[in-house]
């Protein structure tokens, strides 16, 4: 517990010398019209999110369901909340009433749970399929073959309270921009394949969520419609070892 509060204090201290408004404006100035900015605010205190909100930012990304719920409760109601981190089925209930989009769908089982929770709240929840595009072993996500199997299944076809709106992926964490670019191009290829074969008549299927602080300019060049930027807006994150 002591470690957790120290991390909070450290994240608070960082607030003083970071110009959130300027960071958002600088990034937005580089984005084409088709690309929207998600401010990734995980681990950051609500005061910093409010500062971003006051600067006009409305899309926020969090990677933990409970943290997102807690922030949602105290921040303005017109924020669009995007869940971008790995989501366990037993955590969907915390966000189902308000989440705008879940970027991290990586199994039929998770999709079925989202459906169940969406029904409880009488709403439809927008989702992205997360793909494993990096050469690192550790990143979550589907392969194209797994996604096709999912989309062909009767279980998927029976779902009526979720909408698949596109795809999401994370490139390898490397300075090798050629590799990063090829991974984003691969995700765009996956997007185009699924669009052609499964969502040709579906206007909702249009999001390509890719690009973080260090690689979003490449992602934009490769067709991103949503970029997820954290540390370039809010500063570096501090994580405890006791987490
Ligand atoms: C944390 C996170 C980001 C943002 O990372 P930064 O490097 O701080 O911009 C983007 N996407 C996902 C899935 C994340 O977990």
């Amino acid at each position: 517990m002591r470690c957790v509060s120290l991390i909070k204090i450290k994240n608070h201290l960082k607030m003083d010398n970071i110009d959130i408004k300027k960071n958002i404006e600088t990034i937005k100035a580089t984005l084409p019209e088709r690309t929207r900015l998600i401010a990734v605010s995980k681990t950051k205190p609500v005061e910093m999110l409010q500062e971003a909100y006051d600067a006009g930012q409305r899309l926020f990304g969090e990677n933990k369901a409970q943290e997102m719920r807690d922030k949602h409760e105290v921040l303005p109601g017109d924020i669009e909340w995007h869940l971008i981190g790995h989501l366990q089925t037993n955590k969907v209930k915390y966000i189902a009433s308000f989440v705008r989009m879940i970027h991290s769908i990586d199994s039929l089982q998770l999709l079925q749970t989202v459906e169940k929770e969406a029904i409880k709240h009488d709403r439809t929840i927008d989702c992205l399929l997360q793909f494993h595009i990096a050469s690192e072993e550790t990143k979550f996500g589907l392969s194209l073959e797994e996604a096709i199997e999912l989309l062909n299944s009767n279980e998927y076809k029976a779902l009526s309270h979720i909408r698949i709106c596109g795809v999401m992926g994370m490139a390898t964490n490397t300075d090798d921009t050629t590799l990063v670019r090829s991974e984003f191009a691969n995700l765009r290829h996956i997007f185009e394949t699924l669009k052609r074969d499964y969502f040709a008549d579906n206007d909702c299927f249009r999001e390509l969520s890719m690009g973080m602080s260090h690689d979003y300019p490449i992602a934009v060049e490769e067709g991103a419609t949503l970029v997820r930027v954290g540390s370039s807006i809010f500063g570096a994150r501090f994580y405890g070892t006791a987490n």
Side-chain angles (χ1 to χ4, degrees), residues 83-89 92 95 99 101-115 125-132 140-143 146-147 150-151 156 159 162-169:
L83 198 287
I84 61 172
H86 183 65
L87 181 58
Q88 290 168 284
T89 51
V92 176
I95 58 169
V99 67
M101 186 174 278
I102 297 173
H103 291 226
S104 44
I105 299 295
D106 59 1
S107 72
L108 176 63
Q109 195 205 359
L110 178 57
L111 211 46
Q112 289 174 313
T113 305
V114 173
E115 161 93 2
I125 296 180
D126 287 351
C127 297
L128 304 180
L129 296 177
Q130 180 173 357
F131 285 87
H132 181 279
F140 293 100
L142 301 160
S143 66
E146 288 166 336
L150 187 158
L151 294 170
Y156 165 73
L159 304 178
I162 58 100
R163 285 196 307 192
I164 304 285
C165 298
V167 303
M168 178 271 221

Side-chain angles (χ1 to χ4, degrees), residues 113-148:
T113 305
V114 173
E115 161 93 2
K116 235 184 278 170
E117 295 296 328
I119 289 171
K120 283 186 196 165
H121 297 281
D122 193 24
R123 61 189 298 252
T124 298
I125 296 180
D126 287 351
C127 297
L128 304 180
L129 296 177
Q130 180 173 357
F131 285 87
H132 181 279
I133 54 168
S135 54
E136 293 147 326
E137 287 282 329
T138 52
K139 302 266 158 74
F140 293 100
L142 301 160
S143 66
L144 180 56
E145 292 70 28
E146 288 166 336
I148 287 171

Side-chain angles (χ1 to χ4, degrees), residues 40 42 63 84 168 170 212-214 228-231 237:
V40 176
K42 62 195 188 196
N63 68 337
I84 61 172
M168 178 271 221
M170 290 166 86
M212 306 166 44
S213 288
H214 66 284
R228 311 177 307 266
V229 180
S231 42
R237 288 176 294 274

Side-chain angles (χ1 to χ4, degrees), residues 174-178 180-182 184-185 210-211 214-224:
T174 173
D175 293 332
D176 180 352
T177 56
T178 308
V180 169
R181 185 178 296 281
S182 73
F184 286 148
M210 57 187 192
H214 66 284
D215 58 16
Y216 77 86
I218 304 174
V220 168
E221 285 171 13
E222 295 303 322

